[in-house]
Amino acid sequence: MNDWPDRRTGDRSERYGRGSASAQPESARAMPHIQRRPAQPRTPQRPQVPPQSQGYDDRYQDGGYGNGPEPGYDSGYNTGQVYGSGSGGSDGRGGGGRRGGGDGGYVQGRPAPDWRRRIKLGALTLVVVLLVVSISTYFWADSKLKREVDLAKVIDRPESGDGTNYLIVGSDSREGMSDEEKKRLRTGSAEGKRTDSMMILHDGSSGPTLISLPRDSNVEIPTFKGSESGKTFQGTGRQVKLNAAYAEDGPELLVRTVEFNTGLRIDHYVEIGFGGFAKIVDAIGGVELDIPKAFKDKKSGADFQAGKQTLNGEQSLAFVRTRYAFPNSDLDRTKNQQKFLAALASQTATPSTIINPFKLYPTMGAGLDTLIVDKDMSLWSLGNMFFAMKGVTGGDGTSLNMPISGSVGGNLVWDKAKVKQLVQQLNNDEKVTVKGN
């Protein structure tokens, strides 16, 4: 019978070491060897990965693994799931951690975004950008203005009234135009420049008023000081067409002549040539007009059908220059010029042009490159003139030709009584009630 406990072996040589000199068990050294019962087979379970939005792992409960194997037990089962090596220890757990991005790891928790602060910073950034762009645009545009007319050379000027008066001149200057452009726009190749249209724009609290001055108007050349020589030329009562004053001594004599014959002080002078006019129209994509009656003119190249249509630069120039196709010649032409300029201003001062840099800068560049103004003209004053021109068709504005009483030698004679009343209303910044031709 085996005297050894259950599952012991009687072969002491196998238990107490080989080559022992003692035949007795070495009780002080011997430790009973009890064979461990076989472990119950366990079916490995695939770890359940919590949804990304939970921010914790369901297996971690009270420091253990719930129903899974005891801590530290290695079953040898590999699920293939990798828990990232981010912060929080080798087991992928970190205090306050949450499920990370697509790499399956844990990332440190982040505070909720401060949207109010972000909105404030975004608004501040936008304001700074707009301010920088506006200032840059202002200096760019201001540098392009050709301040060539010195109104200080004009002598014996009338007293200033209320509001601001602009003398707007369209010249037949071909400066900067190529031979091909001259041919296409039918401007001819005459040297120098002459006035092709003249208007007074009054901007006041009673609304803008636009008054056309026919270039064939009969006027007196007064005493004036030469713009180049500085010499004083005494007036002799000489009667000429209004556009002859410009041809004789330029913008300064034209301003002097208008002031002398009307009694209205001119505050600013603005002139634009053929080329610049056509480029402005093309830059904004054309001007839409409603032409009531079809007409043609070989000299200007006009050929228009009745009805609404969009005119490009070449067509627009032909429209404002045509005079021989109308029974009242220059008077009818000035009405078309007023109509077109008001439409041009109205369609240019729109959000689609002002906030669109791809239209705004070409439009400004086209106009400023050929614009000639007086030395005291600022961009602010120029902008006011532009919006006053737009207001002519806004319901509060008034447009008319200078009142005519007859003609002499083919020149149009102004109605002196009506002109005096008109100037008085303008100086007092009253609503104009005088009717023109």
Side-chain angles (χ1 to χ4, degrees), residues 5-276:
D6 183 26
R7 302 198 63 81
R8 297 184 186 180
T9 175
D11 188 355
R12 289 178 292 180
S13 64
E14 296 179 2
R15 297 299 305 150
Y16 299 139
R18 301 182 189 277
S20 175
S22 175
Q24 300 296 324
E26 298 175 308
S27 59
R29 296 169 52 194
M31 296 294 293
H33 182 72
I34 301 174
Q35 184 173 346
R36 184 176 177 177
R37 277 192 302 236
Q40 295 296 325
R42 296 178 182 271
T43 303
Q45 297 182 356
R46 185 180 184 87
Q48 299 296 316
V49 179
Q52 293 289 333
S53 60
Q54 289 182 359
Y56 61 90
D57 194 327
D58 289 338
R59 294 176 301 168
Y60 294 92
Q61 297 178 2
D62 299 329
Y65 280 77
N67 296 326
E70 295 85 1
Y73 175 78
D74 184 5
S75 67
Y77 180 78
N78 186 357
T79 65
Q81 179 70 31
V82 177
Y83 292 89
S85 59
S87 62
S90 60
D91 62 353
R93 290 177 290 173
R98 62 181 177 84
R99 295 293 296 181
D103 60 357
Y106 288 86
V107 296
Q108 188 68 26
R110 299 186 182 92
D114 188 348
W115 288 109
R116 181 176 298 179
R117 182 170 178 270
R118 291 186 180 185
I119 291 174
K120 288 182 179 179
L121 289 175
L124 179 61
T125 301
L126 179 61
V127 170
V128 171
V129 170
L130 290 177
L131 185 62
V132 171
V133 171
S134 299
I135 293 175
S136 301
T137 300
Y138 178 88
F139 284 105
W140 168 78
D142 188 73
S143 67
K144 282 183 167 291
L145 278 180
K146 298 179 180 179
R147 296 182 173 93
E148 300 177 0
V149 180
D150 189 0
L151 296 183
K153 295 179 180 179
V154 180
I155 62 175
D156 301 332
R157 309 192 68 186
E159 293 293 328
S160 296
D162 295 330
T164 304
N165 300 314
Y166 301 85
L167 180 60
I168 304 173
V169 175
S171 76
D172 63 359
S173 172
R174 299 152 180 86
E175 183 179 354
M177 297 175 62
S178 65
D179 292 339
E180 182 180 348
E181 289 175 324
K182 292 176 184 178
K183 182 178 180 181
R184 178 173 60 86
L185 298 176
R186 295 174 180 264
T187 64
S189 299
E191 296 297 329
K193 59 182 180 179
R194 288 160 294 278
T195 55
D196 204 61
S197 61
M198 290 159 284
M199 301 179 186
I200 294 174
L201 175 64
H202 175 82
D203 183 22
S205 59
S206 297
T209 302
L210 185 63
I211 307 160
S212 288
L213 309 176
R215 70 181 211 170
D216 292 341
S217 298
N218 191 78
V219 295
E220 179 183 339
I221 298 293
T223 299
F224 69 96
K225 182 183 289 187
S227 59
E228 297 295 334
S229 65
K231 180 181 177 181
T232 299
F233 296 88
Q234 294 295 327
T236 60
R238 180 164 48 104
Q239 305 287 313
V240 298
K241 291 182 179 181
L242 181 58
N243 65 341
Y246 182 95
E248 187 172 332
D249 198 44
E252 288 86 357
L253 179 55
L254 178 61
V255 171
R256 169 70 175 134
T257 303
V258 170
E259 290 186 342
F260 177 81
N261 286 270
T262 62
L264 184 70
R265 187 183 180 97
I266 299 300
D267 298 298
H268 291 295
Y269 177 90
V270 181
E271 177 186 328
I272 189 169
F274 283 160

Side-chain angles (χ1 to χ4, degrees), residues 352-429:
S352 62
T353 298
I354 295 176
I355 66 176
N356 183 357
F358 297 102
K359 291 185 69 174
L360 176 63
Y361 287 100
T363 302
M364 292 179 64
L368 295 174
D369 280 342
T370 57
L371 206 63
I372 297 175
V373 299
D374 64 274
K375 292 187 176 182
D376 294 327
M377 176 71 82
S378 66
L379 283 178
W380 179 262
S381 297
L382 190 62
N384 286 338
M385 183 204 78
F386 186 78
F387 281 97
M389 182 75 74
K390 178 183 178 182
V392 171
T393 57
D396 296 329
T398 303
S399 61
L400 68 153
N401 279 322
M402 187 64 80
I404 304 297
S405 62
S407 63
V408 56
N411 297 346
L412 300 174
V413 178
W414 293 351
D415 188 323
K416 293 184 178 180
K418 287 186 176 182
V419 169
K420 183 178 180 180
Q421 182 184 3
L422 173 62
V423 170
Q424 183 179 5
Q425 291 178 343
L426 294 177
N427 280 331
N428 295 333
D429 206 10

